[in-house]
Amino acid sequence: MTEEILVDVNPFETRVALVVDGALREIHIERPAGRSLRGNLYRGSVNRVVAGVQAAFVDIGIGRPGFLHVRDLHGGRAEPGSAPPDISKLVRPGQSLLVQVAKDPLNGKGVRLTTNLALAARTVVLLPFDTHIGVAMRIEDEDERSRLKELVARVRAEVGTPYGYIARTACQSATEDQVRDDVEDLEGLWERVSRRYGEVAGAMDAAGNPKRVADGRLVHEELPVPTRIVRDLAGTDTRLIAVNHADTFHRITDYIKRCLPELSAAVTRYEGKTPLFESRGLEAAIDRALDKRVPLSSGGCLVIEQTEAMTTVDVNSGRFVDSSDLESTAFTTNLEAAREIPGQLRLRNIGGIIVVDFIDMVDEDHRRHVLDALLGAATGDSARFRASGFSELGLVEISRRRTHESLERQLCDSCETCSGRAFAKSPQSACYDVFRALLKCAASGTEGVSEYLVRASQRVVDRLLDEEAPYLAALERDVLRPIRLQVEPGYASDQFDLVPR
């Protein structure tokens, strides 16, 4: 497996793509109006505490207050067998808190905040309010988990830091010196964060009195998106890191030399005349990732639809029919779909609850193989991925961690024609809406009205003059006024205006 990281920076947009064996696997997009805040630390002020939802709303100086649930509050998790704590006893309005952005704004909601702070380096994550040593859940081998715990514990003892740490997946391929460098860097970073936070809290005026606390202040900002993606994704399989922007190229080069010197030869400045993404066919790949239909090589397809509450994935056999029997057709198509679905979720950055409607299978062995293929295909995904077994209705529920908007929500807007419903009324239904509007208008009084003007799309006007002409003529007799039609080229099929004149 070979990986490439392509960084495309323009004044209006920054994009970072992960390409695995020539295929687009991840796309990260940041625009000036929607910069990611995830990982940033702020000195926030509690606006209000809402006991009914066990949450506090915290002003961090970015406009809309952030959401802090009791579970994301340090010391807010319930002990096994005990009742959950009451958030109103843990925080109060006006209180200052050092908070971290856990999730960017999603679906019109504010940022999700936490006081369980975590500062990330390439190999480890520092937990300043904890003391335990953990290992990333994606590392499943128990021997490896034990080795990494011992490694991090040994380095922590040598450095003399009291904080907790989590070994990241990149720790598996790191040397002890690299882990030690990361631990020392993170300890220095936390000291600077603490000092900056304390300087604000302990500031005094000329008379020696405490100054007003400056809440809503950025205390620490995460790495820029290109450097952060390189930090999190570059590894032993990375063969190329291509950057089209001079300043970004120098920043990434400096980071690679300091933290990943073995990848120094992989970093290159792209100076081709053809735009970087266009030269690798990624623009077309991004457009395909916005289609709801995903063709499968067997002839079947996936239909992926996002809603407010969840995402649904429907598996269709399409034109593929196994010559043996229906069960074999279903198994073959479902197996291919299971291997494709995790990659599509990763590419489209779809998180939350995903419900997959596989083609019905009776054989339990077939169901088990499909589920194993689904989980196996998700092993390269950095987002937490879990899947249930088949339900009685043949559905599989997937939970994938969501930290920012999906690709569709980032690049697309609600359709002006259908108002985001993904469908519009038919011309026939629009004609009947016109008829009802005419009857209502006539019932309210016709004094001073010599005619009714209906402005509508070409398709609606054509239907009123053709299939619906008898009803239109009868309506003219009922309202005792002529009805004139006018085509409006820019109107949608279900849009019309009724003007009494």
Side-chain angles (χ1 to χ4, degrees):
M1 181 175 70
T2 60
E3 295 181 352
E4 298 175 342
I5 298 175
L6 309 180
V7 181
D8 178 56
V9 179
N10 291 290
F12 50 87
E13 184 180 59
T14 296
R15 299 183 297 177
V16 184
L18 173 66
V19 178
V20 180
D21 293 335
L24 180 62
R25 284 291 175 264
E26 291 186 19
I27 178 70
H28 300 265
I29 300 174
E30 185 176 76
R31 293 170 174 172
R35 289 191 182 281
S36 175
L37 304 176
R38 188 160 54 96
N40 289 0
L41 289 113
Y42 294 85
R43 182 180 183 86
S45 175
V46 179
N47 271 2
R48 59 194 177 101
V49 178
V50 184
V53 294
Q54 286 294 292
F57 291 88
V58 182
D59 180 13
I60 60 173
I62 61 170
R64 189 169 188 168
F67 180 85
L68 175 63
H69 193 269
V70 68
R71 290 193 303 268
D72 298 316
L73 193 63
H74 183 66
R77 290 190 178 273
E79 295 294 331
S82 62
D86 183 354
I87 193 170
S88 60
K89 295 181 180 178
L90 300 175
V91 296
R92 64 184 185 281
Q95 180 179 349
S96 297
L97 295 173
L98 181 59
V99 294
Q100 187 170 35
V101 176
K103 292 183 180 180
D104 285 320
L106 294 171
N107 301 327
K109 301 175 183 177
V111 297
R112 184 76 179 252
L113 301 174
T114 180
T115 61
N116 293 307
L117 309 183
L119 299 176
R122 175 170 172 75
T123 62
V124 292
V125 174
L126 180 146
L127 308 174
F129 300 145
D130 211 329
T131 58
H132 88 283
I133 294 176
V135 179
M137 294 178 63
R138 288 179 58 197
I139 302 175
E140 298 179 353
D141 183 84
E142 288 302 325
D143 291 338
E144 180 64 8
R145 293 179 68 86
S146 298
R147 185 188 74 83
L148 293 177
K149 279 187 178 182
E150 292 173 1
L151 170 61
V152 175
R154 184 168 61 253
V155 169
R156 182 175 71 169
E158 292 174 0
V159 175
T161 173
Y163 309 118
Y165 285 91
I166 295 176
R168 307 183 72 184
T169 51
C171 197
Q172 295 179 95
S173 57
T175 65
E176 186 169 331
D177 287 341
Q178 287 175 320
V179 175
R180 183 180 296 102
D181 289 343
D182 283 348
V183 169
E184 291 175 344
D185 286 347
L186 288 176
E187 183 175 290
L189 173 59
W190 174 242
E191 288 177 356
R192 292 192 297 274
V193 167
S194 301
R195 191 183 315 117
R196 190 172 185 192
Y197 179 76
E199 285 172 355
V200 178
M204 310 291 283
D205 61 20
N209 299 315
K211 286 184 178 179
R212 178 178 175 82
V213 174
D215 289 323
R217 176 187 177 189
L218 177 66
V219 176
H220 166 68
E221 187 172 17
E222 251 284 24
L223 292 172
V225 165
T227 310
R228 185 170 74 239
I229 299 303
V230 169
R231 178 195 69 189
D232 294 341
L233 297 183
T236 55
D237 295 322
T238 304
R239 297 291 179 267
L240 174 69
I241 302 174
V243 189
N244 72 335
H245 185 261
D247 290 343
T248 305
F249 170 74
H250 293 310
R251 282 197 297 269
I252 290 178
T253 300
D254 290 343
Y255 176 82
I256 291 293
K257 287 180 179 178
R258 182 167 52 89
C259 300
L260 293 167
E262 67 275 15
L263 293 182
S264 295
V267 186
T268 182
R269 172 81 191 281
Y270 179 78
E271 297 178 321
K273 292 183 179 180
T274 304
L276 176 57
F277 276 29
E278 188 67 39
S279 69
R280 306 302 293 273
L282 298 187
E283 301 292 3
I286 293 171
D287 287 340
R288 287 196 298 272
L290 297 174
D291 291 339
K292 71 176 186 177
R293 297 181 70 87
V294 180
L296 301 175
S297 58
S298 66
C301 71
L302 307 175
V303 180
I304 303 173
E305 298 190 82
Q306 298 180 56
T307 69
E308 190 74 20
M310 67 180 70
T311 297
T312 61
V313 181
D314 187 36
V315 181
N316 294 325
S317 60
R319 66 176 184 272
F320 172 68
V321 178
D322 193 290
S323 58
S324 54
D325 55 61
L326 183 61
E327 177 75 14
S328 297
T329 297
F331 176 58
T332 302
T333 306
N334 286 341
L335 199 59
E336 185 180 2
R339 292 167 179 155
E340 179 68 26
I341 288 170
Q344 289 294 326
L345 299 179
R346 181 182 178 185
L347 173 58
R348 297 162 187 250
N349 195 37
I350 295 175
I353 300 298
I354 302 103
V355 177
V356 184
D357 184 9
F358 286 104
I359 304 170
D360 289 340
M361 295 181 297
V362 178
D363 192 305
E364 287 298 327
D365 285 341
H366 286 172
R367 288 190 171 198
R368 187 176 64 255
H369 277 87
V370 167
L371 192 61
D372 289 345
L374 182 71
L375 294 171
T379 54
D381 194 347
S382 59
R384 187 170 61 245
F385 185 102
R386 293 181 295 178
S388 68
F390 280 83
S391 71
E392 293 182 0
L393 299 177
L395 306 175
V396 173
E397 295 179 11
I398 295 172
S399 171
R400 185 176 184 271
R401 188 181 183 190
R402 175 170 54 189
T403 55
H404 54 276
E405 296 281 17
S406 68
L407 184 65
E408 179 183 284
R409 297 281 169 86
Q410 286 183 287
L411 299 184
C412 303
D413 206 347
S414 294
C415 173
E416 294 181 0
T417 299
C418 67
S419 301
R421 294 174 297 181
F423 59 87
K425 283 188 176 181
S426 65
Q428 181 182 32
S429 296
C431 289
Y432 297 163
D433 284 344
V434 169
F435 294 160
R436 280 187 285 270
L438 283 164
L439 290 171
K440 180 180 178 180
C441 189
S444 65
T446 58
E447 186 176 352
V449 177
S450 59
E451 69 173 7
Y452 293 101
L453 172 65
V454 176
R455 298 201 299 248
S457 67
Q458 183 71 62
R459 294 177 66 194
V460 171
V461 171
D462 288 346
R463 189 173 182 95
L464 288 170
L465 294 174
D466 192 359
E467 295 96 324
E468 313 301 337
Y471 302 112
L472 184 65
L475 198 60
E476 276 189 320
R477 292 192 295 270
D478 290 342
V479 301
L480 303 175
R481 299 289 187 279
I483 300 172
R484 193 160 65 86
L485 307 178
Q486 178 178 314
V487 174
E488 292 290 343
Y491 277 26
S493 63
D494 58 351
Q495 182 182 0
F496 69 89
D497 290 323
L498 174 59
V499 184
R501 304 202 302 180

Coordinates of all heavy atoms in Angstrom, one line a residue, residues 64-115:
R64 N -21.5 32.6 18.9 CA -22.5 31.7 19.5 C -21.8 30.9 20.6 O -20.7 30.3 20.5 CB -23.0 30.7 18.5 CG -24.2 29.8 19.0 CD -24.8 29.1 17.8 NE -26.0 28.4 18.2 CZ -26.9 27.9 17.4 NH1 -26.7 28.0 16.1 NH2 -28.0 27.3 17.8
P65 N -22.4 30.8 21.8 CA -21.8 30.0 22.9 C -21.7 28.6 22.6 O -22.4 28.0 21.8 CB -22.8 30.2 24.1 CG -23.6 31.5 23.7 CD -23.7 31.5 22.3
G66 N -20.6 28.0 23.2 CA -20.4 26.5 23.0 C -21.2 25.7 24.0 O -21.7 26.2 25.0
F67 N -21.4 24.4 23.6 CA -22.2 23.5 24.4 C -21.3 22.6 25.2 O -20.4 21.9 24.7 CB -23.1 22.7 23.5 CG -24.0 21.7 24.2 CD1 -25.2 22.1 24.7 CD2 -23.6 20.4 24.3 CE1 -26.1 21.2 25.3 CE2 -24.4 19.4 24.9 CZ -25.7 19.8 25.4
L68 N -21.5 22.6 26.5 CA -20.6 21.8 27.4 C -21.5 20.9 28.2 O -22.2 21.3 29.1 CB -19.8 22.7 28.4 CG -19.0 22.0 29.4 CD1 -17.9 21.1 28.8 CD2 -18.3 23.0 30.4
H69 N -21.6 19.6 27.9 CA -22.4 18.6 28.6 C -21.7 18.1 29.9 O -20.4 18.2 29.9 CB -22.7 17.4 27.7 CG -23.8 16.5 28.2 ND1 -23.6 15.4 29.1 CD2 -25.2 16.6 28.1 CE1 -24.7 14.9 29.4 NE2 -25.7 15.6 28.8
V70 N -22.4 17.7 30.8 CA -21.8 17.3 32.1 C -20.8 16.1 31.9 O -19.8 16.0 32.6 CB -22.9 16.9 33.1 CG1 -23.7 15.6 32.7 CG2 -22.3 16.7 34.5
R71 N -21.1 15.3 30.9 CA -20.2 14.1 30.6 C -18.8 14.6 30.1 O -17.8 13.9 30.2 CB -20.8 13.2 29.6 CG -21.9 12.4 30.2 CD -22.2 11.2 29.2 NE -22.5 11.7 27.9 CZ -23.7 12.0 27.4 NH1 -24.8 11.8 28.2 NH2 -23.9 12.4 26.2
D72 N -18.8 15.8 29.5 CA -17.6 16.4 29.0 C -16.9 17.3 30.0 O -15.9 18.0 29.6 CB -17.9 17.2 27.7 CG -18.4 16.2 26.6 OD1 -17.9 15.1 26.5 OD2 -19.4 16.6 25.9
L73 N -17.4 17.4 31.2 CA -16.8 18.2 32.2 C -15.9 17.4 33.1 O -16.3 16.3 33.5 CB -18.0 18.8 33.1 CG -17.6 20.0 34.0 CD1 -17.1 21.2 33.3 CD2 -18.9 20.3 34.9
H74 N -14.7 17.9 33.3 CA -13.8 17.1 34.2 C -14.4 16.8 35.5 O -14.8 17.7 36.2 CB -12.5 17.8 34.3 CG -11.4 17.0 35.1 ND1 -10.9 15.9 34.6 CD2 -10.9 17.2 36.3 CE1 -10.0 15.4 35.5 NE2 -10.0 16.2 36.5
G75 N -14.5 15.5 35.9 CA -15.1 15.2 37.1 C -16.6 15.0 37.0 O -17.3 14.8 38.0
G76 N -17.2 15.1 35.8 CA -18.6 15.0 35.6 C -19.2 13.7 35.3 O -20.4 13.5 35.2
R77 N -18.3 12.7 35.1 CA -18.8 11.4 34.8 C -19.1 10.6 36.0 O -18.5 10.7 37.1 CB -17.7 10.6 34.0 CG -17.5 11.1 32.6 CD -16.7 10.1 31.7 NE -16.5 10.6 30.4 CZ -17.4 10.3 29.4 NH1 -18.4 9.6 29.7 NH2 -17.2 10.8 28.2
A78 N -20.2 9.9 36.0 CA -20.7 9.1 37.2 C -19.9 7.9 37.4 O -19.4 7.2 36.5 CB -22.2 8.7 37.0
E79 N -19.6 7.6 38.7 CA -19.0 6.4 39.0 C -19.9 5.2 38.8 O -21.1 5.4 38.9 CB -18.5 6.4 40.5 CG -17.5 7.5 40.8 CD -16.2 7.2 40.2 OE1 -15.9 6.0 39.9 OE2 -15.4 8.1 39.8
P80 N -19.4 4.0 38.5 CA -20.3 2.9 38.3 C -21.2 2.6 39.5 O -20.7 2.6 40.6 CB -19.3 1.7 38.1 CG -18.0 2.4 37.6 CD -18.0 3.7 38.3
G81 N -22.5 2.5 39.2 CA -23.4 2.2 40.3 C -23.9 3.4 41.0 O -24.8 3.3 41.9
S82 N -23.4 4.6 40.6 CA -23.9 5.8 41.3 C -24.7 6.7 40.4 O -24.6 6.6 39.2 CB -22.7 6.6 41.9 OG -21.8 7.0 40.8
A83 N -25.4 7.7 40.9 CA -26.2 8.6 40.1 C -25.3 9.6 39.4 O -24.3 10.0 40.0 CB -27.3 9.3 41.0
P84 N -25.7 10.0 38.2 CA -24.9 11.0 37.6 C -24.9 12.3 38.3 O -25.9 12.7 39.0 CB -25.6 11.2 36.2 CG -27.0 10.7 36.4 CD -26.9 9.6 37.5
P85 N -23.8 13.1 38.3 CA -23.7 14.4 39.0 C -24.6 15.4 38.4 O -25.0 15.3 37.2 CB -22.2 14.8 38.9 CG -21.8 14.1 37.6 CD -22.5 12.8 37.6
D86 N -25.0 16.4 39.2 CA -25.8 17.5 38.7 C -24.9 18.6 38.3 O -24.1 19.1 39.1 CB -26.7 18.0 39.9 CG -27.7 19.1 39.5 OD1 -27.6 19.5 38.3 OD2 -28.5 19.5 40.3
I87 N -25.0 19.0 37.0 CA -24.1 20.0 36.5 C -24.2 21.4 37.2 O -23.2 22.1 37.3 CB -24.3 20.2 35.0 CG1 -23.1 21.0 34.4 CG2 -25.7 20.9 34.7 CD1 -23.1 21.1 32.9
S88 N -25.4 21.7 37.8 CA -25.6 22.9 38.5 C -24.7 23.0 39.8 O -24.5 24.1 40.3 CB -27.0 23.2 38.8 OG -27.6 22.2 39.6
K89 N -24.3 21.8 40.2 CA -23.4 21.8 41.4 C -21.9 21.8 41.0 O -21.1 21.9 41.9 CB -23.7 20.5 42.2 CG -25.1 20.5 42.8 CD -25.4 19.3 43.6 CE -26.8 19.3 44.2 NZ -27.1 18.0 45.0
L90 N -21.7 21.7 39.7 CA -20.3 21.7 39.3 C -19.8 23.0 38.7 O -18.6 23.4 38.8 CB -20.1 20.6 38.3 CG -20.3 19.1 38.8 CD1 -20.2 18.1 37.7 CD2 -19.4 18.8 39.9
V91 N -20.7 23.7 38.0 CA -20.4 25.0 37.4 C -21.5 26.0 37.7 O -22.7 25.6 38.0 CB -20.2 24.9 35.9 CG1 -19.0 24.0 35.6 CG2 -21.4 24.4 35.2
R92 N -21.2 27.3 37.6 CA -22.2 28.3 37.9 C -22.1 29.4 36.8 O -21.0 29.6 36.2 CB -22.0 28.9 39.2 CG -20.7 29.6 39.4 CD -20.4 30.1 40.8 NE -19.2 30.9 40.9 CZ -18.0 30.4 41.0 NH1 -17.8 29.1 40.9 NH2 -17.0 31.2 41.0
P93 N -23.1 30.2 36.5 CA -23.0 31.3 35.6 C -22.0 32.3 36.0 O -21.8 32.6 37.2 CB -24.4 31.9 35.6 CG -25.3 30.8 36.0 CD -24.5 29.9 37.0
G94 N -21.2 32.7 35.0 CA -20.2 33.7 35.3 C -18.8 33.1 35.6 O -17.8 33.7 35.6
Q95 N -18.8 31.8 35.8 CA -17.5 31.1 36.1 C -16.7 31.0 34.9 O -17.1 30.8 33.8 CB -17.8 29.7 36.7 CG -16.6 28.9 37.0 CD -17.0 27.5 37.6 OE1 -18.1 27.2 37.9 NE2 -16.0 26.6 37.7
S96 N -15.4 31.1 35.1 CA -14.4 31.0 34.0 C -13.9 29.6 34.0 O -13.6 28.9 35.0 CB -13.2 31.9 34.2 OG -13.6 33.3 34.2
L97 N -13.8 29.0 32.7 CA -13.3 27.7 32.5 C -12.3 27.6 31.4 O -12.4 28.4 30.4 CB -14.5 26.8 32.2 CG -15.6 26.5 33.2 CD1 -16.7 25.7 32.6 CD2 -15.0 25.8 34.4
L98 N -11.3 26.8 31.5 CA -10.4 26.5 30.4 C -11.0 25.3 29.6 O -11.1 24.2 30.1 CB -9.0 26.1 30.9 CG -8.0 25.8 29.8 CD1 -7.8 27.0 28.9 CD2 -6.7 25.4 30.5
V99 N -11.5 25.6 28.4 CA -12.2 24.6 27.6 C -11.5 24.3 26.3 O -10.8 25.2 25.8 CB -13.7 25.0 27.4 CG1 -14.5 25.1 28.7 CG2 -13.7 26.4 26.7
Q100 N -11.8 23.2 25.7 CA -11.3 22.8 24.4 C -12.4 22.5 23.5 O -13.4 21.9 23.9 CB -10.4 21.6 24.6 CG -9.6 21.2 23.3 CD -8.6 20.1 23.6 OE1 -8.7 19.3 24.4 NE2 -7.4 20.2 22.9
V101 N -12.3 22.9 22.2 CA -13.3 22.5 21.2 C -13.1 21.1 20.8 O -12.1 20.7 20.3 CB -13.2 23.5 20.0 CG1 -14.2 23.1 18.9 CG2 -13.4 24.9 20.4
A102 N -14.2 20.3 21.1 CA -14.1 18.9 20.8 C -14.7 18.6 19.4 O -14.3 17.7 18.7 CB -14.9 18.1 21.8
K103 N -15.7 19.4 19.0 CA -16.4 19.3 17.7 C -16.7 20.7 17.1 O -17.1 21.6 17.9 CB -17.7 18.5 17.8 CG -17.5 17.0 18.1 CD -18.8 16.3 18.1 CE -18.7 14.9 18.5 NZ -20.0 14.1 18.5
D104 N -16.4 20.9 15.8 CA -16.8 22.1 15.2 C -18.3 22.2 15.1 O -19.0 21.2 15.3 CB -16.2 22.1 13.8 CG -14.7 22.4 13.8 OD1 -14.3 23.2 14.6 OD2 -14.0 21.7 13.0
P105 N -18.8 23.4 14.8 CA -20.3 23.5 14.7 C -20.9 22.5 13.7 O -20.3 22.4 12.6 CB -20.5 25.0 14.1 CG -19.2 25.7 14.6 CD -18.1 24.7 14.5
L106 N -22.0 21.9 14.0 CA -22.6 20.9 13.2 C -24.1 21.2 13.1 O -24.7 21.4 14.1 CB -22.4 19.5 13.7 CG -21.0 18.9 13.8 CD1 -21.0 17.6 14.6 CD2 -20.5 18.7 12.4
N107 N -24.6 21.2 11.8 CA -26.1 21.4 11.6 C -26.6 22.6 12.3 O -27.7 22.6 12.9 CB -26.8 20.1 12.1 CG -26.3 18.9 11.4 OD1 -26.0 18.9 10.2 ND2 -26.4 17.7 12.1
G108 N -25.9 23.7 12.2 CA -26.4 24.9 12.8 C -26.2 25.1 14.3 O -26.6 26.1 14.9
K109 N -25.6 24.0 15.0 CA -25.4 24.1 16.4 C -24.0 24.7 16.7 O -23.2 24.7 15.8 CB -25.5 22.7 17.0 CG -26.8 22.0 16.8 CD -26.8 20.6 17.3 CE -28.1 19.8 17.0 NZ -28.1 18.4 17.4
G110 N -23.8 25.2 17.9 CA -22.6 25.7 18.3 C -21.5 24.6 18.5 O -21.8 23.4 18.4
V111 N -20.3 25.1 18.8 CA -19.2 24.1 19.0 C -19.5 23.2 20.2 O -20.2 23.7 21.2 CB -17.8 24.8 19.2 CG1 -17.5 25.6 17.9 CG2 -17.9 25.8 20.4
R112 N -19.0 22.0 20.2 CA -19.1 21.1 21.4 C -17.8 21.3 22.2 O -16.7 21.2 21.6 CB -19.2 19.7 20.9 CG -19.4 18.7 22.1 CD -20.8 18.7 22.6 NE -21.0 17.7 23.7 CZ -21.8 16.6 23.5 NH1 -22.4 16.4 22.4 NH2 -21.9 15.8 24.5
L113 N -17.9 21.5 23.5 CA -16.7 21.8 24.3 C -16.5 20.7 25.3 O -17.4 19.9 25.6 CB -17.0 23.2 25.1 CG -17.2 24.4 24.2 CD1 -17.5 25.6 25.1 CD2 -16.0 24.7 23.4
T114 N -15.3 20.7 25.8 CA -14.9 19.8 26.9 C -13.9 20.4 27.8 O -13.1 21.3 27.4 CB -14.4 18.4 26.3 OG1 -14.0 17.6 27.4 CG2 -13.1 18.7 25.5
T115 N -13.9 20.0 29.1 CA -12.8 20.4 30.0 C -11.9 19.2 30.2 O -10.9 19.4 31.0 CB -13.3 21.0 31.3 OG1 -14.1 20.0 32.0 CG2 -14.2 22.2 31.1

